[in-house]
Amino acid sequence: MFSIQTFLDAFVPLAWAARYTLLVSCLGIALGLVIGVVVCAMRLSGSRLARGIGALWVSFLRGVPLLVQLLLMFYLLPVIGIDVPPLVAAVVTVGICASAYISEIWRGAIGALPGGQTEAAQAIGMGPATIWRRIILPQAVVMSLPALVNELILLVKASSLVSVVGILELTRASQAQAATTFRPLEVYLAAACIYLAINLCLAALGRWLEHRMAI
Amino acid sequence: MTQAASVDMTRINKFYGPFQALRDVSLHIPPGKVTCLIGPSGSGKSTLLRCINFLERYDAGEIRIDGQLIGYDTPGGRLMSGRRLREMRRDIGMVFQQFNLWPHMTALQNVAEGLERVRGLPRAEAEAQARAALDKVGLGDKTANHPARLSGGQQQRVAIARAIAMQPRVMLFDEPTSALDPELVGEVLAVMKQLAAEGMTMVVVTHEMGFAAHVADRVAFMERGELVAAGTPAEIFANPRDERIRAFLHSYHERNAFEV
């Protein structure tokens, strides 16, 4: 028998655990955006060394599962003498991993800009830094918004992986709840509802931003 | 208006790998006059035009704007510094076939951007001058529109305003009406005629033979990277001596003539 009461009761503790889900994915994407710009600039730069490092960064982080990256980071940090709480390690790892995908999103958006955009700016004597800041980036941000929202939603779901370093986020909390109540179906259904609610909100936020920033 | 400049090109050569795009082209662009570059597509006329503001790098020869070499420190020497090149480009306006307006800015911002960021004017002053430039091309009432809310002809006029607002001494036009619907060509040509009448040095790559014949002071015909002939419109259009020009004009007339 499906117990509505258990299902409803599960929401409060799970929603509380979901704060870690939100924290890890939102801070992760923020960090990923910043590192992503740097990696993207390296991949588009004139220096072969910078391009090479950027390409390595992207292929390693895309080629190794996030779960393995989290475990690597968790066991690597003490070895090199860095002592940080697991939550910090988790956010940094998620951010670094996201930066690989985000830098490719930026690169694609910048590559899709017509070459004439830059030429028109060069023709009036504008310098490269101003061209990036005033002409290229504003357009690239808008063009990459749908892909960035996509990435954020993927991160919300992937954040369940940070439970391996002992963070009690939404998925891990529902496992615990299911074990204590012996009502896995109700609990996991509640967890699914919370994930869905979070992601629908993020998608709506994305659509609103897209609409606001539409060119 | 600021003093119109002359452009002198001497034995320009340009290669794309093994392909030679320009062969020993020498051409004098007199100040304050309209020079039209015509010829079949792929003849190198756009490439030559883009060499004048060094958007395209020429490999040998010299291009001088009012005597000042552009692109290189010395003929055949090192590339000039980015800063120096940008300074020279401020004096050379350019209008592109695809307009290349910045879609995230209004018409006013498109025109004011260079005044503010390149010439360093305060915003209010930049916007006032941008407004004046838009008025001049007949778009004083469209300042708040983004490019997507303008017709092709209006977009190209904004692009012209963006260039003239910088008070250039030479204006380059790269097939300015080729991307326009036929009924919108006239409004752009009208603005160009007005500029010509004010004594702007203009170099125009065009397929509009009517414009070349009636507005140009000089017409230069190019084919396969070579300058075949340059002269007055009458010399080029009325009695061309070169067989290649006759063939080009013949096919042009054939395409554009119709009988009912």
Side-chain angles (χ1 to χ4, degrees):
Chain A
M1 260 305 281
F2 186 85
S3 154
I4 302 273
Q5 197 54 50
T6 319
F7 170 68
L8 293 176
D9 286 345
F11 270 92
V12 176
L14 292 191
W16 184 237
R19 74 191 191 283
Y20 286 119
T21 299
L22 276 173
L23 190 76
V24 167
S25 37
C26 289
L27 287 182
I29 198 125
L31 189 64
L33 283 170
V34 175
I35 306 177
V37 173
V38 177
V39 176
C40 174
M42 286 171 77
R43 296 209 67 185
L44 295 174
S45 90
S47 147
R48 271 176 90 162
L49 181 69
R51 282 205 305 274
I53 295 173
L56 262 178
W57 182 269
V58 171
S59 35
F60 176 79
L61 293 165
R62 283 199 312 196
V64 176
L66 178 57
L67 185 60
V68 176
Q69 290 176 33
L70 283 161
L71 292 168
L72 269 175
M73 184 70 100
F74 189 67
Y75 290 109
L76 176 74
L77 287 180
V79 173
I80 57 174
I82 298 175
D83 182 27
V84 290
L87 187 60
V88 174
V91 165
V92 169
T93 311
V94 167
I96 287 176
C97 180
S99 77
Y101 295 92
I102 291 171
S103 74
E104 287 295 278
I105 292 172
W106 293 110
R107 198 167 67 97
I110 290 170
L113 281 182
Q117 289 291 305
T118 300
E119 282 189 349
Q122 288 172 329
I124 58 169
M126 205 180 272
T130 314
I131 293 176
W132 263 78
R133 201 163 47 80
R134 300 286 305 171
I135 309 295
I136 295 177
L137 283 181
Q139 296 187 64
V141 167
V142 174
M143 277 170 40
S144 61
L145 258 182
L148 289 177
V149 171
N150 211 23
E151 179 64 21
L152 179 55
I153 286 173
L154 285 173
L155 271 194
V156 168
K157 293 181 292 179
S159 67
S160 63
L161 295 173
V162 303
S163 59
V164 294
V165 294
I167 294 165
L168 198 71
E169 46 61 63
L170 178 49
T171 298
R172 186 80 196 85
S174 15
Q175 284 178 326
Q177 187 83 358
T180 51
T181 56
F182 301 106
R183 287 282 182 182
L185 187 59
E186 286 83 350
V187 172
Y188 287 130
L189 196 61
C193 288
I194 295 176
Y195 273 119
L196 191 61
I198 292 175
N199 284 330
L200 287 176
C201 287
L202 292 176
L205 180 74
R207 274 195 303 276
W208 177 77
L209 268 177
E210 259 176 68
H211 182 73
R212 255 200 67 130
M213 296 172 73
I215 293 179
Chain B
M1 186 196 289
T2 38
Q3 188 68 46
S6 63
V7 179
D8 283 287
M9 294 176 261
T10 318
R11 305 199 62 161
I12 301 301
N13 285 278
K14 161 85 188 164
F15 295 85
Y16 293 109
F19 174 73
Q20 186 161 13
L22 296 173
R23 298 166 190 272
D24 267 343
V25 176
S26 297
L27 181 64
H28 171 69
I29 309 284
K33 305 280 187 200
V34 177
T35 304
C36 281
L37 301 179
I38 63 169
S41 52
S43 58
K45 48 196 194 308
S46 281
T47 305
L48 184 68
L49 186 81
R50 289 162 55 84
C51 284
I52 296 176
N53 64 354
F54 215 64
L55 277 184
E56 207 78 66
R57 183 187 296 192
Y58 56 93
D59 299 307
E62 299 174 25
I63 297 182
R64 293 179 182 276
I65 319 290
D66 256 359
Q68 285 194 308
L69 187 68
I70 188 163
Y72 299 94
D73 282 337
T74 53
R78 282 192 321 173
L79 285 175
M80 73 179 1
S81 73
R83 168 188 288 267
R84 180 81 193 97
L85 180 60
R86 292 199 289 278
E87 273 169 19
M88 290 195 71
R89 278 177 176 161
R90 283 183 214 183
D91 288 341
I92 309 172
M94 185 156 190
V95 173
F96 300 85
Q97 181 177 356
Q98 300 295 341
F99 328 136
N100 295 348
L101 291 180
W102 300 309
H104 55 303
M105 300 181 187
T106 64
L108 186 72
Q109 290 166 335
N110 263 279
V111 182
E113 183 70 10
L115 296 170
E116 199 179 333
R117 313 272 161 189
V118 178
R119 292 249 313 267
L121 297 182
R123 167 154 313 163
E125 177 61 23
E127 287 188 351
Q129 291 192 17
R131 229 173 267 281
L134 283 167
D135 267 333
K136 195 168 167 184
V137 299
L139 291 174
D141 55 338
K142 302 283 184 193
T143 53
N145 289 41
H146 280 80
R149 293 260 171 274
L150 296 168
S151 73
Q154 291 169 334
Q155 288 187 53
Q156 192 61 299
R157 285 189 281 152
V158 172
I160 294 174
R162 174 171 70 179
I164 60 176
M166 298 292 288
Q167 301 184 332
R169 303 168 64 211
V170 187
M171 283 281 289
L172 311 177
F173 294 84
D174 192 1
E175 300 196 29
T177 57
S178 297
L180 296 176
D181 290 337
E183 72 270 24
L184 302 176
V185 168
E187 62 189 73
V188 172
L189 292 183
V191 170
M192 291 170 63
K193 282 179 194 165
Q194 179 193 337
L195 263 181
E198 290 171 9
M200 174 71 79
T201 306
M202 293 166 59
V203 190
V204 185
V205 170
T206 188
H207 292 291
E208 293 288 331
M209 292 305 139
F211 180 83
H214 295 122
V215 182
D217 300 288
R218 281 171 64 79
V219 176
F221 179 86
M222 291 184 68
E223 195 187 66
R224 297 184 184 210
E226 277 178 72
L227 184 75
V228 174
T232 64
E235 285 167 344
I236 299 295
F237 290 116
N239 40 29
R241 263 171 267 159
D242 196 285
E243 178 53 38
R244 290 169 286 184
I245 305 178
R246 281 205 294 271
F248 173 76
L249 291 176
H250 180 73
S251 92
Y252 177 82
H253 287 310
E254 230 167 35
R255 261 180 291 119
N256 289 279
F258 68 95
E259 289 166 36
V260 184

